[in-house]
Amino acid sequence: MKHALIAALACLCMTAPAWSLDAPGWRDLATSIFGERPLQDGSEFIAIDSPYRSSDDARTLISAQVEAPRGAMLGKVTLVLDENPMPVSAVFSFERPLPRFYFQTTMRINGPTPLHVVAETTDGRLFVVGRYVKTSGQGACAAPPGTNPDEALATLGEISIGIDRVTGAGTSLDLALRERQVDVDISHPSHSGMQMDQISLLFIPMRYVETIEVDLDGAGYVEMTGSISLSENPRVSLSVPSGTQSIDVTMTDTDGTVSTAHKSLAGY
């Protein structure tokens, strides 16, 4: 049975173009990512929220609510932007299996593209849902950085952690199943390797957020593997159990820079 949040998100997606598991482009890409493993229609378990047309290709919000099928648990969730230079755009790997998971990220959308969210259960099954996103023609992955590269280095790696609404409030969800949304903001230029310095006219070396590890109450929760699809100064929002007391975040970028942040949620 779908929960109320999945139903609400699904309503937002009704105007999206139809997608198909058998679309030639997706079929080939899925094989390159997941091999010959079969992918099942996940419409009953995954709801994507994305704009019909991105107003800011360099910072587009993509979110999804994912629930495991009855009797199963989630082990991993993958966001694929099919036509981006690095299609596998974010992978969320769970330290402990989860029955449900919500994420939202700020992404670069390089051009009009299908996008797919793939949920992997701990028994090895793959479920997928797709959308299509039109863009404003900004060519976001090669667009000039929004800040001076040298100035961006001064704050690179700074992390702030925020706590947002309770999900599941006002529904039939048991109190123990209710979740909060944690927002992780990271100061990072997220250079794609395709951008040109507007003064030197040389390409800026690739450097992006490689991993974000989130621990709850001193134990591992989720590790997100990033890509050049992450926006400049990315925000990654995640659902966490409402009873969480503390959050620790560790960011590692492709140059080996490591930064950490801690937040106590005892007051919530």
Side-chain angles (χ1 to χ4, degrees), residues 58-62 104-109 184-185 190 229-237:
R59 194 175 183 86
T60 302
L61 282 174
I62 304 293
Q104 182 180 77
T105 61
T106 54
M107 308 299 290
R108 289 186 175 114
I109 311 292
V184 178
D185 289 282
S190 191
S229 296
L230 287 175
S231 74
E232 184 175 347
N233 299 323
R235 165 174 282 198
V236 178
S237 301

Side-chain angles (χ1 to χ4, degrees), residues 141-142 145 149 191-198 200-206:
C141 290
H191 292 143
S192 67
M194 302 167 60
Q195 301 157 295
M196 185 177 291
D197 186 299
Q198 298 302 290
S200 69
L201 301 183
L202 299 174
F203 284 102
I204 302 169
M206 179 187 294

Side-chain angles (χ1 to χ4, degrees), residues 23-260:
W26 167 243
R27 186 169 61 243
D28 294 342
L29 180 59
T31 299
S32 71
I33 299 170
F34 302 104
E36 297 299 329
R37 300 169 64 189
L39 283 92
Q40 303 178 51
D41 186 342
S43 300
E44 185 178 353
F45 313 113
I46 304 169
I48 300 172
D49 187 10
S50 61
Y52 172 74
R53 184 186 299 275
S54 173
S55 60
D56 182 358
D57 299 349
R59 194 175 183 86
T60 302
L61 282 174
I62 304 293
S63 61
Q65 176 73 34
V66 185
E67 296 203 19
R70 183 183 298 275
M73 298 287 275
L74 300 171
K76 185 181 295 185
V77 173
T78 300
L79 171 62
V80 181
L81 300 176
D82 298 22
E83 299 295 337
N84 264 25
M86 194 178 287
V88 179
S89 297
V91 179
F92 300 90
S93 301
F94 308 122
E95 184 71 21
R96 298 184 301 275
L98 297 177
R100 67 191 58 81
F101 182 67
Y102 171 84
F103 74 85
Q104 182 180 77
T105 61
T106 54
M107 308 299 290
R108 289 186 175 114
I109 311 292
N110 198 52
T113 182
L115 68 87
H116 293 84
V117 173
V118 179
E120 180 173 349
T121 56
T122 53
D123 58 12
R125 288 178 291 167
L126 299 173
F127 297 88
V128 61
V129 165
R131 293 286 313 273
Y132 193 86
V133 178
K134 296 185 177 181
T135 54
S136 302
Q138 299 167 0
C141 290
T147 56
N148 179 285
D150 293 331
E151 294 176 356
L153 291 176
T155 59
L156 187 148
E158 292 182 0
I159 301 173
S160 65
I161 303 171
I163 188 77
D164 206 342
R165 65 185 183 276
V166 173
T167 63
T171 75
S172 60
L173 282 177
D174 182 87
L175 181 64
L177 298 179
R178 295 183 183 179
E179 298 170 326
R180 292 188 180 275
Q181 177 176 311
V182 168
D183 302 319
V184 178
D185 289 282
I186 298 176
S187 179
H188 199 286
S190 191
H191 292 143
S192 67
M194 302 167 60
Q195 301 157 295
M196 185 177 291
D197 186 299
Q198 298 302 290
I199 297 176
S200 69
L201 301 183
L202 299 174
F203 284 102
I204 302 169
M206 179 187 294
R207 185 177 187 180
Y208 60 86
V209 174
E210 188 166 35
T211 61
I212 300 171
E213 298 176 46
V214 178
D215 294 344
L216 306 182
D217 300 331
Y221 178 61
V222 62
E223 177 179 283
M224 190 200 84
T225 302
S227 71
I228 64 171
S229 296
L230 287 175
S231 74
E232 184 175 347
N233 299 323
R235 165 174 282 198
V236 178
S237 301
L238 311 168
S239 59
V240 301
S242 61
T244 299
Q245 296 295 298
S246 67
I247 298 176
D248 290 276
V249 176
T250 302
M251 185 282 299
T252 304
D253 77 1
T254 51
D255 273 25
T257 296
V258 178
S259 57
T260 62

